[in-house]
Amino acid sequence: MFGTRDSLIAAVKLTDLPGISIDTHCSAVTYIHLLFNQHEVIFANGAPCESLHTGPEAMKSISPAARAELFALFPELMTDPNLRRLAALCPHDSQQRQLIARHKKNKKPLLYL
């Protein structure tokens, strides 16, 4: 659909598919962010997950103290645009919805290993 094998889709968008839902019984979540030399897709418990992306929007979601710590440890994050490239295409919101609708309609798997 996008001329590439891989794309990053917001997890919340996947809840439109059968068998994927938000766990409403969970009272707390602990996030562990991994930072590599570049944005990566890794596997955790058998599921593809992305490392911390250091792009402008992602950095807005990090507390000022955490952002200051990142910049102190990795000052190149403030200036090197190559460190901000995504590991895969991240389609716009409407394109993500369209992709999910196609997968739902055609009953195609989301992941090919």
Side-chain angles (χ1 to χ4, degrees):
M1 180 172 163
F2 303 117
T4 183
R5 181 175 177 261
D6 299 318
S7 59
L8 297 171
I9 306 298
V12 72
K13 299 277 190 286
L14 301 177
T15 60
D16 286 343
L17 294 170
I20 301 176
S21 61
I22 295 173
D23 183 352
T24 57
H25 302 293
C26 182
S27 61
V29 174
T30 300
Y31 286 93
I32 299 174
H33 293 290
L34 300 176
L35 181 62
F36 298 103
N37 289 339
Q38 62 189 25
H39 188 235
E40 298 282 352
V41 175
I42 60 171
F43 282 79
N45 292 331
C49 304
E50 63 177 313
S51 66
L52 176 63
H53 180 247
T54 57
E57 288 303 310
M59 294 302 277
K60 288 178 189 175
S61 68
I62 299 171
S63 72
R67 207 169 29 251
E69 181 180 7
L70 277 173
F71 291 150
L73 293 170
F74 307 103
E76 64 275 14
L77 289 177
M78 292 186 286
T79 57
D80 189 346
N82 290 324
L83 296 176
R84 296 174 181 247
R85 289 189 184 147
L86 288 166
L89 173 73
C90 185
H92 294 288
D93 186 62
S94 60
Q95 293 173 313
Q96 290 185 34
R97 284 194 308 271
Q98 183 181 7
L99 177 68
I100 294 301
R102 286 180 65 176
H103 275 273
K104 188 175 183 178
K105 177 183 172 190
N106 299 320
K107 297 179 173 69
K108 296 287 183 181
L110 291 176
L111 185 62
Y112 296 99
L113 296 176

